[in-house]
Amino acid sequence: MAATAASKKTATAPAKKAAAKRAAPPARKAPAQRAPRVGLVPSGGAAETPAQIVEQEKAVSRKARKPVADPVVDLNAPVPPPYWDEACQDLMKRDRILRKIIPAYGPAHLVSRGDPFVTLARSVVGQQISVKAAHAVWERVAAACPKLTPAQMLRAGPEKLATCGLSKRKAEYILDLASHFKAGHLHVADWATMDDEDVIAELVQIRGIGRWTAEMFLMFNLMRPNVLPLDDLGLIKAISVNYFSGEPVTRSEAREVAANWEPWRTVATWYLWRSLEPTPVLY
């Protein structure tokens, strides 16, 4: 009897284990997580492994193309903004991506044309088109109106501006801008001492001038160091390519990445533009 009971007990144990295994719920898969941004330390504080760092730096090296000299302006001739060198050093310490991109372009830097009307007019020309296309159109505008003054633009009129490759609407925008300058409706002399948002608020009152165009003015004319043009498609693309392996990026994600660049977001933006298009942006 004892042997029979033991054999029953032995036979029952595997059966119970099998039943328990069948009853156990399937193991849940861990939710898929988005890959951490390259170049930033994750929020938990854990740094990437050496192997990850090597792969990231190789990826950036492939993206940072050899710079091409601007066909018109000698970028090394004008004096850089007074904050430029400090900003570059600070950004390279903080951001591994910029640590690779910034040295790829040597001593080149942001250049101001100095004339508020020209900067704004050129920004209007550059709305929603590529850097190369904008440069070509502007060269025609400059040939048609070599003085590039508001009065000369107004004398040229919409028809002549249209022959330069401007759309009818952009020609109207530039003429409206010229009218504002000629009539003295703008506080041009005060812009240098006004804060960024106040300058933007005044500029967006002009037809055809939106926030993006006003931000280009802050960057390229007033040389403000901490402008973040989130409406700029080139910047969003550059953040996607360099920090998210080409995945789509929301404005919120772009803003989060850019928080690491303050107070030098203008400088970081300029270099990220160049990581996609070696020919520098000029307004």
Side-chain angles (χ1 to χ4, degrees):
M1 292 293 289
T4 303
S7 63
K8 285 183 178 180
K9 186 175 182 181
T10 303
T12 305
K16 287 183 177 180
K17 287 182 179 179
K21 187 175 182 180
R22 287 193 300 271
R28 291 184 178 179
K29 292 183 178 180
Q33 295 183 349
R34 191 166 190 171
R37 289 185 298 277
V38 178
L40 300 179
V41 176
S43 58
E48 296 95 331
T49 66
Q52 288 174 322
I53 292 173
V54 170
E55 287 304 313
Q56 291 163 1
E57 293 186 346
K58 285 181 179 178
V60 175
S61 296
R62 288 193 295 269
K63 295 184 185 87
R65 293 175 287 176
K66 185 177 180 181
V68 177
D70 180 76
V72 177
V73 179
D74 179 0
L75 294 180
N76 301 322
V79 177
Y83 55 79
W84 196 262
D85 290 342
E86 179 187 355
C88 289
Q89 293 300 319
D90 195 18
L91 288 168
M92 287 191 291
K93 288 178 183 177
R94 296 192 208 174
D95 191 298
R96 192 175 297 114
I97 298 300
L98 292 173
R99 190 182 306 161
K100 301 293 291 187
I101 292 175
I102 289 174
Y105 298 98
H109 52 77
L110 181 68
V111 173
S112 172
R113 294 186 177 276
D115 186 307
F117 173 73
V118 171
T119 298
L120 287 166
R122 187 159 184 163
S123 297
V124 169
V125 170
Q127 291 172 357
Q128 303 298 317
I129 61 176
S130 70
V131 173
K132 289 182 179 179
H135 178 77
V137 173
W138 184 255
E139 287 295 293
R140 296 189 201 109
V141 172
C145 304
K147 293 182 180 179
L148 295 175
T149 61
Q152 192 175 49
M153 294 281 190
L154 289 168
R155 286 196 299 271
E159 292 80 11
K160 189 170 184 178
L161 291 179
T163 64
C164 300
L166 287 170
S167 66
K168 180 181 178 182
R169 181 164 295 180
K170 282 188 179 180
E172 291 172 352
Y173 291 164
I174 289 177
L175 292 174
D176 189 56
L177 175 67
S179 296
H180 275 77
F181 269 85
K182 188 175 181 182
H185 292 160
L186 303 171
H187 300 89
V188 179
D190 298 329
W191 286 343
T193 57
M194 291 165 61
D195 66 33
D196 291 358
E197 290 302 322
D198 287 342
V199 175
I200 291 172
E202 178 165 328
L203 289 176
V204 297
Q205 301 304 312
I206 305 169
R207 186 183 176 204
I209 304 291
R211 185 175 182 89
W212 177 86
T213 305
E215 287 171 336
M216 294 304 102
F217 181 77
L218 290 175
M219 294 174 71
F220 287 92
N221 188 272
L222 298 181
M223 310 288 272
R224 299 293 170 86
N226 198 34
V227 180
L228 181 67
L230 287 175
D231 293 324
D232 188 86
L233 298 180
L235 174 61
I236 297 300
K237 181 179 179 181
I239 291 174
S240 168
V241 169
N242 289 290
Y243 293 86
F244 290 89
S245 302
E247 294 181 15
V249 175
T250 65
R251 287 169 61 94
S252 177
E253 288 169 329
R255 187 181 288 107
E256 183 181 349
V257 171
N260 193 44
W261 306 336
E262 292 199 60
W264 316 117
R265 295 183 299 181
T266 293
V267 181
T269 296
W270 190 84
Y271 278 108
L272 284 173
W273 279 334
R274 298 204 69 191
S275 74
L276 298 182
E277 175 54 66
T279 302
V281 180
L282 295 169
Y283 288 115

